[in-house]
Amino acid sequence: MAEHAELVHVSRYHPDSQHRDRFLEVAKSVSAESRSTVGCFGAQVCTSSLDDAVVVISRWDRPASLTRWLEDARVGSLAGEMSTLGGEMESEELRSL
């Protein structure tokens, strides 16, 4: 199977300095969890060169794989903690043409 992502999911967070280390720990855990999921080609936690944002990127074989992963209870719990620690999230889905 070719490793061609139909969907790239990008989320940007701006955790405040007192929560940044814990946020990064949780974000890296979420990324590692997604990498072991069927349909995920890769996930990583990055910093932005434009601002102080922490950017979480994942690549998926199809939208249904991401949806299935997001519906997992453990993932929901970790995502909730990321939202609490990371402040307002900006999310975007990029679809392959």
Side-chain angles (χ1 to χ4, degrees), residues 16-91:
D16 62 39
S17 58
Q18 71 183 29
H19 297 295
R20 189 175 180 88
D21 288 343
R22 176 64 184 150
F23 176 84
L24 290 172
E25 182 181 313
V26 174
K28 288 176 183 179
S29 177
V30 168
S31 290
E33 187 104 9
S34 68
R35 285 192 297 270
S36 66
T37 301
V38 172
C40 181
F41 292 135
Q44 62 196 85
V45 179
C46 308
T47 56
S48 171
S49 64
L50 299 177
D51 56 20
D52 65 345
V54 176
V55 182
V56 181
I57 302 167
S58 58
R59 298 173 32 242
W60 298 88
D61 63 350
R62 62 181 143 282
S65 296
L66 173 61
T67 300
R68 186 175 51 252
W69 180 74
L70 290 172
E71 290 172 347
D72 180 278
R74 175 166 160 61
V75 172
S77 174
L78 289 171
E81 186 173 3
M82 284 178 64
S83 293
T84 300
L85 297 170
E88 186 176 336
M89 174 187 71
E90 299 165 343
S91 184

Side-chain angles (χ1 to χ4, degrees), residues 9-14 83 86-91:
H9 188 264
V10 181
S11 297
R12 296 174 61 84
Y13 298 87
H14 297 275
S83 293
E88 186 176 336
M89 174 187 71
E90 299 165 343
S91 184

